[in-house]
Amino acid sequence: MKRSLLLLALCGCIHAVRAQDTIYFRNGASELVRLIEVNPGTITYRQWNNPQSALYHEHRRNIDRIGTQTGGTVWVDEKAWDKYRDSVVKAERDIRRQDPFYTHRKWNYKPDIVSFMPFSIQTNGTGIAISYERLLGKEQNMGVVVPLMYSIYKPGAYIMPGLRIYPFGQRIFTLFTTPSLYAGYGNRKQYADSIDYYDKTKTYNYTYYIKDFQLGFFINIGFHLNFTQRMGMTMLGGGGVNYLDLANNNGDNAGFAIFQWAFLYRL
């Protein structure tokens, strides 16, 4: 009710002649006009193709709504507005019912994404990370992402470029998978066995840390949850292998896993 009254008040302030507004009558008819004025009781207009025509006055009770030349709609009849609003709500419910993740595009998502990850864990350490992503193509089904991570526990620095794939495009709840490479330098844990000096049949497992260059590949899966058109959060996890360990016959230490939680902002 307040919305319609506000729109009517705004239209009441318009005294300039407009072209090709449309009046929709309650009996189903419509007429192209030059809208002059909307008053509490009547609507005043001229013929749209004759700026000098006589002024016509129509009671508001006979009018459903008015479509303006700028594409807006002024709802005159409150019942008609309620009926239209209910139809929109029903259509959205039908979409949600067909798609439980409500994945139709509600916003025009920006193609550049900057993320800050206060919680970044991988096999070789725990720390923080930032990333930049550029979405590709009109449908934005793919993107190039470049995360940078610094491990605070067991210091090390890593870069993990990847090709992010969005099978359903950009949506409020957006799923993705990312094949990635990773390269870095820092401390990492090693697992080894030791033979008992006195009893050669017994072995003991122990760990130690080394500092070296690392190169490998992994794949992760995750999602964006968009709170607004620009802001949201990301969560992902995945795993892979350190290629250099495999190449050096150090397969017991080649496993690589990662988990990240991030805030995102679309530029």
Side-chain angles (χ1 to χ4, degrees):
M1 180 69 178
K2 292 181 179 180
R3 179 177 176 179
S4 295
L5 290 176
L6 178 61
L7 290 172
L8 290 172
L10 290 174
C11 288
C13 298
I14 299 175
H15 299 284
V17 175
R18 293 182 173 184
Q20 289 186 319
D21 302 301
T22 306
I23 294 179
Y24 297 90
F25 296 92
R26 297 185 66 179
N27 62 8
S30 62
E31 183 177 351
L32 292 175
V33 300
R34 292 175 180 263
L35 184 63
I36 304 299
E37 198 170 56
V38 177
N39 294 314
T42 61
I43 291 175
T44 303
Y45 61 93
R46 296 181 189 271
Q47 296 176 350
W48 76 271
N49 57 353
N50 184 4
Q52 305 304 320
S53 73
L55 291 175
Y56 293 82
H57 304 277
E58 185 69 45
H59 286 288
R60 282 183 52 197
R61 63 173 177 267
N62 298 326
I63 295 175
D64 187 12
R65 67 189 186 279
I66 302 170
T68 67
Q69 63 167 338
T70 59
T73 300
V74 178
W75 291 92
V76 178
D77 181 35
E78 289 296 325
K79 292 183 178 179
W81 159 248
D82 290 339
K83 184 177 179 181
Y84 170 77
R85 182 189 59 193
D86 292 343
S87 67
V88 171
V89 172
K90 181 178 182 300
E92 291 182 349
R93 286 176 180 170
D94 290 341
I95 291 174
R96 289 188 178 94
R97 201 172 290 118
Q98 296 171 6
D99 186 351
F101 292 107
Y102 191 35
T103 55
H104 78 281
R105 292 174 192 163
K106 189 175 181 179
W107 296 314
N108 179 25
Y109 292 103
K110 303 297 182 180
D112 298 286
I113 303 174
V114 176
S115 300
F116 171 66
M117 306 165 199
F119 189 66
S120 181
I121 301 176
Q122 49 114 330
T123 303
N124 302 321
T126 301
I128 60 175
I130 59 173
S131 76
Y132 168 75
E133 179 180 356
R134 174 70 180 185
L135 299 176
L136 305 176
K138 182 178 179 181
E139 298 300 322
Q140 299 182 336
N141 288 320
M142 300 182 69
V144 176
V145 60
V146 183
L148 300 173
M149 177 185 172
Y150 179 75
S151 175
I152 299 173
Y153 176 71
K154 299 302 178 184
Y158 303 88
I159 182 171
M160 297 173 280
L163 180 65
R164 186 155 287 173
I165 301 170
Y166 298 93
F168 306 108
Q170 300 299 305
R171 305 169 182 189
I172 294 177
F173 182 81
T174 306
L175 295 170
F176 62 77
T177 182
T178 317
S180 301
L181 300 174
Y182 77 90
Y185 182 81
N187 292 276
R188 65 191 185 107
K189 184 181 292 187
Q190 297 285 290
Y191 300 91
D193 297 328
S194 177
I195 299 176
D196 189 284
Y197 181 79
Y198 298 100
D199 186 352
K200 304 301 184 181
T201 63
K202 293 182 179 180
T203 60
Y204 298 94
N205 298 323
Y206 68 97
T207 61
Y208 63 99
Y209 286 87
I210 63 171
K211 183 180 289 186
D212 69 349
F213 177 73
Q214 302 158 47
L215 177 65
F217 53 89
F218 68 99
I219 187 169
N220 66 55
I221 59 173
F223 65 86
H224 296 318
L225 180 59
N226 297 292
F227 304 136
T228 68
Q229 185 175 357
R230 291 184 178 269
M231 300 180 65
M233 62 166 281
T234 300
M235 190 174 293
L236 64 86
V241 296
N242 187 327
Y243 173 76
L244 293 183
D245 280 332
L246 294 179
N248 294 323
N249 297 317
N250 189 23
D252 292 340
N253 297 291
F256 178 86
I258 188 169
F259 175 81
Q260 292 178 328
W261 175 69
F263 297 104
L264 70 86
Y265 184 81
R266 296 175 183 265
L267 301 177

